[in-house]
Amino acid sequence: MSPEDRMEVLTRQFCAGQVNGSTWDHVQQAPPDPIIGVTDGWRADPDPRKLNLGVGAYRTEEGKPYVLKAVREAEQQILADPAMNKEYLPISGNPEFNRLARTLALGLSSPAIQQNRVATVQALSGTGALRVGAEFLSTHLPSSFPRIVYLPSPTWGNHKSIFAKAGFQVREYRYFCAGTRGLDFVGMVADLKAAPPGSVLLLHACAHNPTGVDPSPEQWKQLLEVTSEGRLIPFFDMAYQGFASGDLDADAASVRLFVDAGLELVLGQSFAKNMGLYGERAGALSVVCKSKDVATRVESQLKLVIRPMYSNPPMHGAAIAARVMGDPKLNELWKEELRGMADRIKLMRKVLYDQLVARNVPGDWSFVLKQIGMFSFTGMTRPQCELLVSKWHVHLTLDGRISMAGLSATTAPYLAEAIADVIKSA
Ligand code: PLA
């Protein structure tokens, strides 16, 4: 068949396809997202007792979403500002936000901040920071380095897809020990020691999702050694700064340890949780470099990653976050509210634990008290989780993770009753 005839046939087939059916007839129904899909299931559930303990989103004691007072105040100031406009932001985002975000993470006295050797770009929250960071690494790691990323097992479900989309081979390192419900530190170190030099090492800066298990300060020091001896490229995902202990500085200790030791690293930050800016998509990506000169060139390349992806970031969330971080009064108010949120989550751990113990639910539930951050990783099996959803209308991810931030003193007894039941029957 001549190329012209072939073209003719293809055109006819294409038109016939459109007339008789859809060009997308072959497209398969995708499964719902394992985390975000939980909220859809919860929305569709008509039962009045229903609980959404899936996505990590903070709720008040009344079960309502919470807009921080500091955020409301910043938003009012922005609206009242006659200089406010809706022009495009630079490709790298709001410069003041970027400066304040990296300072929040690394600390004002950080050698990297003092020496101006951090390249920061605004990102579409934590996910966007990871995505742009992965793309940058995939393009700019030295060509002799492997494109391999090591993720903790388990980890936040989206990590795998983000790095795979950027062309990385995804490998796991041991992290959680189901038996002790603690850190498998020996396994973790062994796996990292076996990683090829130049591999990227993804670390959760604090409040590991989904396990709620973090390395101790002493273990972080050892991880620093393993990382630098193995010549691994650390990529810190910091989605919960302030949510682990209630203190922003304390929660950044792991990242600061690595930076202060002189390592180059990549850092993703999210303001979704610690400022309650979930839907505003406010985040930052920083690359800590050896020198100011390198950082300047890195930033120019980060812009080349961003421009064809989404051109430049949205302004509102970053403007809010910049005001909250930059205005001393709003900053104090924010820190107070952040401590309040972290404390309420800790209180929910105690309330749930007491309720489980009061019901004599079999097993040692002390991990509920010990785990750090927003989540409790309960060890419940998939059938038990499915029963929680279908019989008790408690919506959670099927790996047994529950968002403690979605619980209240009123709903905790109901959850304990539901857990007691599914542990017996599934
Ligand atoms: N990194 C980790 C470890 C996370 O847990 C999340 C969010 C992100 C990054 C990205 O957050 P952001 O893009 O909204 O800033 N994890 C949530 C939500 C809270 C989600 O899955 O998108 C969770 O429920 O696990």
Side-chain angles (χ1 to χ4, degrees), residues 149-417:
V149 64
Y150 278 79
L151 305 177
S153 172
T155 192
W156 179 50
N158 214 9
H159 278 148
K160 274 193 189 103
S161 326
I162 291 171
F163 281 92
K165 288 266 182 234
F168 276 85
Q169 187 196 120
V170 176
R171 292 189 188 168
E172 291 187 328
Y173 58 86
R174 276 170 280 175
Y175 190 84
F176 184 69
C177 171
T180 62
R181 290 221 171 79
L183 184 64
D184 179 1
F185 190 65
V186 173
M188 178 179 185
V189 168
D191 289 348
L192 298 186
K193 281 192 170 163
S199 301
V200 174
L201 166 60
L202 185 112
L203 295 160
H204 294 227
C206 64
H208 181 274
N209 175 13
T211 67
V213 173
D214 285 348
S216 68
E218 190 44 48
Q219 287 169 333
W220 274 117
K221 283 189 196 147
Q222 293 179 48
L223 289 172
L224 166 64
E225 260 171 49
V226 175
T227 306
S228 56
E229 276 167 17
R231 307 192 43 158
L232 305 176
I233 315 285
F235 193 146
F236 278 92
D237 179 4
M238 186 148 71
Y240 299 96
Q241 187 182 3
F243 252 74
S245 67
D247 183 286
L248 288 156
D249 293 312
D251 286 0
S254 58
V255 182
R256 294 180 186 182
L257 176 76
F258 278 50
V259 172
D260 295 354
L263 262 68
E264 293 191 305
L265 56 79
V266 184
L267 166 70
Q269 282 173 271
S270 166
F271 288 89
K273 269 68 73 171
N274 60 14
M275 234 179 245
L277 292 176
Y278 307 91
E280 294 288 358
R281 313 310 291 145
L285 171 73
S286 289
V287 184
V288 178
C289 305
K290 283 276 182 216
S291 69
K292 185 179 176 195
D293 173 51
V294 176
T296 307
R297 282 181 279 134
V298 165
E299 190 183 326
S300 73
Q301 290 295 338
L302 288 171
K303 290 200 266 184
L304 288 196
V305 174
I306 291 167
R307 175 68 167 146
M309 241 192 225
Y310 54 87
S311 193
N312 47 63
M315 63 184 5
H316 193 61
I320 295 170
R323 263 184 202 257
V324 171
M325 286 187 283
D327 178 288
K329 259 168 90 182
L330 291 182
N331 199 265
E332 271 317 301
L333 178 57
W334 173 41
K335 287 182 181 164
E336 215 179 285
E337 292 186 277
L338 186 53
R339 266 194 302 275
M341 289 193 286
D343 284 350
R344 201 188 79 76
I345 297 172
K346 282 187 204 147
L347 180 65
M348 284 311 109
R349 292 188 178 282
K350 174 91 178 79
V351 173
L352 179 62
Y353 174 77
D354 288 348
Q355 288 288 332
L356 289 165
V357 170
R359 284 179 168 74
N360 284 319
V361 181
D364 175 7
W365 292 88
S366 58
F367 67 86
V368 174
L369 298 173
K370 285 185 218 139
Q371 289 174 347
I372 298 164
M374 235 175 182
F375 302 107
S376 195
F377 200 49
T378 62
M380 281 186 290
T381 62
R382 195 182 167 107
Q384 289 168 343
C385 294
E386 282 166 349
L387 199 59
L388 270 183
V389 180
S390 60
K391 180 172 172 189
W392 291 89
H393 309 275
V394 171
H395 296 261
L396 77 169
T397 55
L398 299 179
D399 59 357
R401 182 189 89 166
I402 52 179
S403 170
M404 297 304 292
L407 210 56
S408 72
T410 330
T411 53
Y414 177 75
L415 175 64
E417 191 187 340

